[in-house]
Amino acid sequence: MPHEFKTIIEPFKIKTVEPIHFTTYEHRRAVLEEAGYNLFLLHADDVLIDLLTDSGTGAMSSEQWAGMMRGDESYAGARSFYRFEEAVQEITGYTHVIPTHQGRAAERILFGALCRPGDVVPNNNHFDTTRANIEYRGAEARDLVADAGRHPQLIHPFKGNIDLDALEATVDEVGAENIPLVMLTITNNAGGGQPVSMANIRAVSELCKRHNLLFILDACRFAENAWFIKQREQGYADMTPREIAHEMFGYADGCTMSAKKDGLANIGGFLALNDPPYDGQRYLDLPQRCKNQLILTEGFPTYGGLAGYDLEAIAVGLREVLHEDYLRYRIRSTAYLGDKLTAAGVPIVQPPGGHAIYIDARSMLPHIPPHEYPAQALAVALYLEAGIRAVEIGQVMFGRPVAAGFEEPGPLDLVRLTIPRRVYTQSHIDYVAEAIEHVNIAKDRIRGLRIVWQAPALRHFSARFEPA
Ligand code: F0G
């Protein structure tokens, strides 16, 4: 028998390198103050290891770069569009493929065509832009993640599942006619990058069919979700990620997608739809209406705001992301960071998610109340100490002022350490773990923050803070 090696290595070698920048503590303190303690407002050159997001930050493969040279920049009917369309159809099985410049453009077009004031859109957890685009239409974005997903330390294989009883109750309460679509986010980003089981996707599909509801996947991290199903759900161990993905998509009527995640591209996205199986004004000519809107704001339907070479990069990326070597490395290397932090006694959302580790800042810093933003304070401390940029997913992102000086506390205060795809090596991650252990030892000295300026929507991107 050949030896079975336990070490999971990066399934690539490096052809191009990009230097990263070392800074001093004093420099970081100065630029933090200048940025109003908002890490979105830093210059990236002042960041050593950037774990702000996994969106558009991945490294492309040699095949993707080669594909870009094939890019056909024709305005209409470009070859690159047909390659892109074929890749999307092959994986999702959906009829209409509408390219967009990124995921939120697909959301805006879909919600613009479907949502009216007073409507309710259920989801396991809406991510920030999804929620904002629904609320912008005057509709309500309702989070119905199952109970397991609300307890950070609880170990459960599918903490991204939606609560089916709560979904049924929502349909009873508001009426199917006021629910333009039901969404499921795979994996559940705002809830810790946790997967949704095939059984849950199937059950949502059945519920939607029973009530004539349109079912749309927010599929940004579909390949990671497929890998978790392969590892954790009975009956899927022998199926390929591609077969699993195909089955997941098959239960829904369409998807919105940010190709900046599991498209392994630096920009791009799409809306993919089957013809809605339901009658009624709301669904009449839905794909065509979306394409009309696309022309108005994004571009002709064969490029949708992207260059031909972007479409090529996505077409290749969508296939590469389903390679088993890649997914095994991807999910294992994220868990590696989670395991190190757990061993050091740092509370994280358990089990580790697909694209990120989420530190439970509310548990780690009990001396900082939610209205002093413990997760933001922790992210700031991590930058100051080690030059690492993480992102707050908590009170700043989802909390809302209810009266002058008052805020409803949100469900969780998390710091997301988001791992860009194919970018950092194991020693980078060892450094991150060491830095967090160091911050954890002196955590009692971390102080809360107060907001001195905020925008009316999506405040986390631009708010300015000062120490409380
Ligand atoms: N849906 C989910 C679940 C997301 O995570 C994102 C983006 C989007 C939709 C929107 O896609 O950025 O291409 O417009 N999430 C990034 C993040 C920004 O950092 O998690 P987009």
Side-chain angles (χ1 to χ4, degrees):
M1 281 286 279
H3 181 67
E4 281 246 9
F5 287 93
K6 287 194 299 292
T7 310
I8 293 174
I9 60 170
E10 286 86 358
F12 50 79
K13 53 186 179 175
I14 296 166
K15 183 173 284 185
T16 304
V17 296
E18 181 184 350
I20 54 177
H21 303 271
F22 293 87
T23 52
T24 63
Y25 184 90
E26 282 66 39
H27 179 78
R28 294 194 292 276
R29 194 165 54 191
V31 295
L32 254 182
E33 207 171 309
E34 215 171 292
Y37 299 88
N38 186 335
L39 304 178
F40 280 105
L41 304 181
L42 292 175
H43 288 232
D45 274 354
D46 291 326
V47 175
L48 181 64
I49 296 196
D50 204 346
L51 307 182
L52 184 71
T53 180
D54 64 327
S55 184
T57 53
M60 291 210 296
S61 66
S62 47
E63 283 303 312
Q64 284 178 294
W65 283 109
M68 288 182 78
M69 289 306 293
R70 279 199 310 264
D72 174 1
E73 304 304 337
S74 304
Y75 189 95
R79 240 176 9 251
S80 301
F81 170 74
Y82 295 106
R83 285 207 195 93
F84 166 83
E85 183 185 51
E86 186 187 286
V88 175
Q89 285 177 336
E90 194 182 281
I91 291 162
T92 67
Y94 300 136
T95 314
H96 303 276
V97 178
I98 301 171
T100 59
H101 78 275
Q102 59 184 81
R104 68 197 69 181
E107 293 163 10
R108 185 185 57 78
I109 288 170
L110 183 68
F111 302 151
L114 284 176
C115 296
R116 297 186 281 241
D119 284 344
V120 173
V121 180
N123 200 333
N124 42 2
N125 284 114
H126 295 269
F127 198 60
D128 59 350
T129 57
T130 322
R131 167 173 296 281
N133 270 298
I134 289 169
E135 291 174 352
Y136 185 71
R137 311 301 310 181
E140 180 194 334
R142 194 174 287 190
D143 288 343
L144 299 177
V145 72
D147 190 56
R150 297 177 196 266
H151 303 285
Q153 324 289 335
L154 183 83
I155 305 258
H156 181 286
F158 292 106
K159 287 172 84 171
N161 283 355
I162 198 168
D163 181 335
L164 295 162
D165 293 334
L167 180 55
E168 191 79 59
T170 298
V171 180
D172 288 345
E173 177 208 325
V174 305
E177 67 283 5
N178 297 314
I179 301 180
L181 71 158
V182 173
M183 294 193 84
L184 260 187
T185 308
I186 56 172
T187 59
N188 190 23
N189 188 8
Q194 300 291 320
V196 179
S197 71
M198 194 72 91
N200 196 248
I201 298 173
R202 194 182 304 120
V204 171
S205 175
E206 282 161 10
L207 188 152
C208 286
K209 288 201 170 77
R210 217 165 354 97
H211 295 286
N212 289 358
L213 296 170
L214 199 71
F215 177 25
I216 300 292
L217 293 172
D218 177 340
C220 298
R221 300 177 181 86
F222 74 96
E224 293 173 5
N225 202 87
W227 185 257
F228 282 118
I229 288 176
K230 183 175 167 68
Q231 301 301 306
R232 298 181 184 172
E233 194 161 351
Q234 216 191 345
Y236 291 93
D238 295 330
M239 281 171 71
T240 63
R242 171 181 288 270
E243 289 165 339
I244 296 171
H246 203 80
E247 183 177 335
M248 295 187 317
F249 285 113
Y251 291 123
D253 301 302
C255 71
T256 56
M257 173 74 189
S258 169
K260 301 171 75 172
K261 285 89 169 174
D262 276 352
L264 296 179
N266 298 123
I267 195 69
F270 56 85
L271 170 64
L273 292 170
N274 281 336
D275 288 307
Y278 311 118
D279 298 331
Q281 206 54 33
R282 212 196 276 267
Y283 302 118
L284 192 68
D285 295 331
L286 179 67
Q288 188 56 49
R289 281 191 289 128
C290 290
K291 283 180 204 168
N292 296 346
Q293 184 62 32
L294 188 82
I295 296 175
L296 193 64
T297 58
E298 292 273 310
F300 191 72
T302 61
Y303 75 88
L306 295 170
Y309 54 64
D310 296 322
L311 295 166
E312 295 279 353
I314 298 167
V316 177
L318 285 171
R319 291 176 174 133
E320 280 182 357
V321 79
L322 288 165
H323 289 178
E324 294 203 13
D325 286 351
Y326 165 75
L327 283 169
R328 183 177 299 112
Y329 141 80
R330 169 72 176 161
I331 301 301
R332 178 60 207 132
S333 56
T334 302
Y336 174 80
L337 175 58
D339 293 350
K340 284 203 149 194
L341 297 185
T342 303
V346 177
I348 64 163
V349 174
Q350 295 285 2
H355 67 298
I357 295 299
Y358 296 66
I359 301 176
D360 181 355
R362 205 177 281 180
S363 301
M364 182 171 159
L365 306 174
H367 61 287
I368 304 179
H371 67 270
E372 288 182 7
Y373 314 115
Q376 183 70 20
L378 179 58
V380 164
L382 189 57
Y383 174 71
L384 188 61
E385 291 296 328
I388 296 164
R389 174 159 68 170
V391 68
E392 196 257 17
I393 299 209
Q395 189 64 18
V396 180
M397 189 178 277
F398 292 114
R400 220 156 292 189
V402 282
F406 282 96
E407 283 188 14
E408 200 90 45
L412 296 169
D413 275 296
L414 306 174
V415 171
R416 186 183 72 176
L417 305 158
T418 338
I419 320 287
R421 292 171 180 78
R422 307 189 288 204
V423 169
Y424 292 118
T425 64
Q426 187 168 346
S427 57
H428 290 118
I429 298 299
D430 287 338
Y431 172 85
V432 172
E434 182 187 339
I436 294 167
E437 284 172 38
H438 166 71
V439 168
N440 189 43
I441 289 167
K443 64 183 178 177
D444 297 340
R445 290 214 297 271
I446 298 175
R447 287 163 63 197
L449 295 163
R450 88 167 67 89
I451 290 183
V452 292
W453 182 85
Q454 58 184 303
L458 295 171
R459 65 177 180 174
H460 50 292
F461 290 122
S462 55
R464 297 186 73 84
F465 304 83
E466 63 183 20

